[in-house]
Amino acid sequence: MLFIDFSPAFNTIIPQQLIYKLIELGLNTSLCNWLLDFLTGRPQAVRVGSNTSSTITLNTGAPQGCVLSPLLFTLLTHDCTPSHNSSLFIKFADDTTVVGLVSNRDETNYRSEVSRLAGWCSDNNLSLNVEKTKEIVVDFRRVHTQHVPLTINGATVERVSSTKFLGVHITEDLSWTDNTTALAKKSQQHLYFLRKLRRARAPRPIMYTFYRGTIERILTSCITVWYGACNVSCRKTLQCIVRAAEKIIGVSLPSLQEIYGIRLTRKALCIASDPTHPSHSFFSLLPSGRRLRSLQARTSRLKDSFIHQAVRKLNSLPNLPPPHYALQSLPAGRVAGAIPHSDAAGQNALDGASVEGVHDGGWGSGSPQFAEEVETLL
């Protein structure tokens, strides 16, 4: 897995190049002209105290902090797709990950994919920050193979044992110990402020709201991704923090297992009812229409993964909802991960991330429906 880092991504957008791609996607001329006017001729100055610099006019890039910037960057990179079936691009705004399957010790396809990505970035005025780009090799074979270091534009990519991706710590052994340790440490720091509220005699509703907005948000960040595969020790560590908050506030709080079950069901329903989701094909009904087809797994690691847990969760429901069960709960539009749809901030990122290269049905990027959705979002 190669975790790409772009040097100032939003600042390198060339408006004319972006507009050309939007026209190819089928957006109407009026909207394209409006975006071009929005991105060009932007005056900018710097103020320090009572001193103000001279004004310069910017004609490149997208404004930092603007809600449109991630969407426009996503649309700019929509044509950055893998050329091999063994490769996968996972994109969320300016966060891009290349996943390559290496079989029979042949890394040719993976390395050519990385080379193509570097060439695409050069053609689209995007600069790869090789120093911050990291590579993780996941290999569960008994005899590990020495891999030749990966190079991009003549610079060697650092190979690490773990890295942080969209708020989640990912390790080469696909365990979640590092992730839960980081969550526990950050949550315990916020318990201090909860105790301060209690000493200040804050009402219980205020302390409960603080807990839900800070500590619980941290503990349940991307919980559907990692909690199912978490070991017992890590679960107990996190649950102890919930119990500590219970004693401070003086009210009963939902356990992490309960929150996980609710969010797992909700996410599974959303994916199963969304034909455009890359994982939709895993949720296939049996001929009876009452249960989903069970997924086979030879290892506990795969058995405890999100998709397998989600299928088992839906099959455990008394009655499987009809095919349209979650359509009304989906967002108005979904464009390459620009519109996350979950409660937790970290979960927003992972849930909204687009997967290029694996699609089972859905709209093409050049279809009228796709253009209509983009115009709705803009």
Side-chain angles (χ1 to χ4, degrees):
M1 293 184 288
L2 184 67
F3 300 88
I4 302 292
D5 183 85
F6 292 106
S7 296
F10 295 159
N11 293 337
T12 58
I13 295 178
I14 300 178
Q16 292 77 8
Q17 189 176 34
L18 171 63
I19 297 305
Y20 175 76
K21 292 190 177 184
L22 294 181
I23 293 175
E24 283 189 331
L25 289 174
L27 272 68
N28 64 64
T29 306
S30 299
L31 180 58
C32 291
N33 290 337
W34 178 82
L35 288 173
L36 182 62
D37 181 72
F38 171 71
L39 295 174
T40 56
R42 293 180 286 114
Q44 180 171 303
V46 177
R47 176 181 295 175
V48 179
S50 59
N51 301 317
T52 304
S53 68
S54 58
T55 302
I56 61 173
T57 302
L58 300 179
N59 291 304
T60 59
Q64 293 288 340
C66 176
V67 294
L68 276 180
S69 297
L71 174 58
L72 294 178
F73 187 85
T74 299
L75 295 173
L76 176 69
T77 59
H78 82 278
D79 57 344
C80 179
T81 57
S83 59
H84 300 97
N85 294 331
S86 59
S87 300
L88 194 67
F89 286 2
I90 302 175
K91 298 185 292 184
F92 180 79
D94 60 338
D95 288 312
T96 301
T97 301
V98 179
V99 181
L101 175 63
V102 177
S103 302
N104 300 322
R105 302 182 181 182
D106 185 6
E107 302 181 20
T108 305
N109 291 346
Y110 168 65
R111 293 181 180 272
S112 65
E113 207 70 79
V114 175
S115 179
R116 285 184 64 257
L117 176 61
W120 182 93
C121 291
S122 178
D123 296 339
N124 288 268
N125 198 44
L126 292 176
S127 177
L128 289 175
N129 189 344
V130 183
E131 291 184 359
K132 293 185 177 181
T133 297
K134 308 298 180 184
E135 184 186 36
I136 289 182
V137 177
V138 179
D139 189 354
F140 294 109
R141 294 177 300 177
R142 294 182 179 179
V143 180
H144 291 184
T145 303
Q146 290 293 331
H147 300 273
V148 179
L150 183 67
T151 59
I152 299 178
N153 298 330
T156 302
V157 177
E158 181 184 4
R159 184 170 296 164
V160 295
S161 59
S162 66
T163 190
K164 194 174 183 180
F165 177 61
L166 298 178
V168 177
H169 292 266
I170 299 178
T171 60
E172 60 184 0
D173 60 355
L174 298 184
S175 67
W176 299 105
T177 303
D178 289 0
N179 185 67
T180 53
T181 301
L183 294 179
K185 181 180 179 180
K186 191 173 181 181
S187 301
Q188 288 170 345
Q189 292 172 348
H190 285 74
L191 281 176
Y192 167 79
F193 299 103
L194 190 61
R195 294 188 179 97
K196 294 286 286 186
L197 287 174
R198 182 182 178 181
R199 291 169 188 164
R201 300 182 183 277
R204 286 182 179 177
I206 297 296
M207 291 191 290
Y208 179 75
T209 301
F210 176 83
Y211 167 80
R212 290 293 306 274
T214 56
I215 300 174
E216 184 181 284
R217 180 185 63 83
I218 295 171
L219 291 174
T220 60
S221 176
C222 302
I223 192 170
T224 56
V225 175
W226 52 265
Y227 191 83
C230 230
N231 59 44
V232 176
S233 176
C234 290
R235 293 188 184 189
K236 287 183 178 180
T237 300
L238 297 179
Q239 190 59 37
C240 284
I241 298 175
V242 178
R243 297 294 174 239
E246 277 185 338
K247 294 179 180 179
I248 296 172
I249 302 174
V251 298
S252 179
L253 299 173
S255 67
L256 295 180
Q257 183 65 45
E258 293 171 343
I259 297 175
Y260 170 70
I262 293 172
R263 294 193 181 180
L264 178 65
T265 303
R266 182 176 60 190
K267 178 53 59 180
L269 292 175
C270 286
I271 296 176
S273 63
D274 182 6
T276 66
H277 197 284
S279 301
H280 175 76
S281 59
F282 292 105
F283 297 83
S284 59
L285 286 171
L286 292 172
S288 64
R290 297 179 180 179
R291 288 289 181 269
L292 295 174
R293 191 177 303 277
S294 299
L295 302 177
Q296 301 298 320
R298 291 185 298 177
T299 63
S300 59
R301 186 182 302 107
L302 179 59
K303 182 180 179 181
D304 294 335
S305 64
F306 165 74
I307 292 295
H308 287 251
Q309 294 263 15
V311 171
R312 290 198 299 271
K313 186 66 175 179
L314 293 187
N315 282 337
S316 67
L317 298 178
N319 294 301
L320 195 64
H324 61 279
Y325 37 98
L327 285 177
Q328 295 180 355
S329 66
L330 292 174
R334 293 185 56 184
V335 181
I339 306 298
H341 49 282
S342 182
D343 295 335
Q347 186 69 50
N348 279 347
L350 283 179
D351 289 348
S354 66
V355 181
E356 299 291 349
V358 179
H359 292 279
D360 182 40
W363 299 342
S365 58
S367 67
Q369 296 96 327
F370 182 87
E372 182 180 348
E373 289 294 329
V374 173
E375 293 175 8
T376 301
L377 293 173
L378 293 173

